[in-house]
Amino acid sequence: MKIRKAILTGGGRATRLYPITTTINKHLLPLANKPMIFHAIERAVEAGIEEIFINTNPGETELQKYIGDGGHWGIKIRFFEQTGGPQGIAHVVKCAQEFIGDEPFMFFLSDNIILGNLPEMVEQFEKDKLDCMLAFARVPDARHFGVPYFDDSGKLIDIKEKPSDPPDNLAQTGIYLYGPKVFFEVFDKIEKSPRGEYEISDIHSYFLKNNYKVGHREISGYWKDTGRAEDLLMANKLLLDQAIERDFSNHGMLDASSKIEGKVFVGIGTQIGKNVKIIGPAIVAENCFLENCEIGPYVTIGTGSDIRQAKIKNSIVLDGAMIDCDIKISDSLIGKGVNLKKRKLEEEEGHKMIIGDKTIIEI
């Protein structure tokens, strides 16, 4: 039976990314200058998904505005709230039961970047008529993930959530395939974990201990958001590295004194003024202005930004930022409408700052 439907996550508060996420949903933060959740939608569509259901925080309107009804991708998209507050990602799936019905489906955590071949994973799931299909990847520290356990013959026998002493660095990724009805049958048989959540690893553990047909594959090219700025920068780097050459082109205006090296995309309406050097991979979005600055590598600059004098590398700059001072910026996440400029000489010495809660500045 073909998988046509998918559930994607769009909720959560991302408090560890404050103050950036006080004004923007985490899933709309740009990675390679594209909202994070767009990457998940595109991967799902590549795998043959025709209808997507996205969970949201109560009162959410921003996701709906940016994503729309799915027409941009030639599919249908609907939104739903997770009732009763956050109770774990398995509960997100339970809340979508009325949309899924009795069909098989994909569950995709939108704050995961997966470069492995999802169409092949779906093909194997459908060919082998599995109840569940899991994807594993090698990670630096498996203690933050659901971890697979194998017997001496290499057979998968269990999944444990965030074990203190995992057997190796193999971990469960945020992409799951389920056969008709089985997820919802098992959800009603598990209980909340000590941290008060319905753990998706408990669903998979039940499958494995009760003779459900569970398949798995190891994939390469995987990143999971753990809620820190450095993780977003790592994902941005991963996506820029894997992007193909033809995705990078200059649609702006380039002054003769400026230079572009490597894979660089420049959006429509952007002016690259005098004495600018851009080192790829890098993306400069639409309607930006750059002058006397050095950008890259691994930099994305959002729409309508104005960058002068600065040197920026390995950073994400959101829409409408204005940076006009002789400063070196690296490993940074700069929010929408940020204004960073040099004070006039006649003004009192010292730095003038208006800084939001939980901002981090190293000077």
Side-chain angles (χ1 to χ4, degrees), residues 27-39 42 239 283:
H27 297 91
L28 293 176
L29 287 172
L31 296 177
N33 247 34
K34 184 185 298 181
M36 184 189 303
I37 197 170
F38 281 27
H39 294 284
E42 289 173 359
L239 288 165
I283 296 175

Side-chain angles (χ1 to χ4, degrees), residues 304-317:
S305 294
D306 191 322
I307 314 293
R308 308 170 195 238
Q309 315 301 328
K311 292 184 178 180
I312 306 175
K313 65 179 182 180
N314 192 37
S315 296
I316 299 172
V317 180

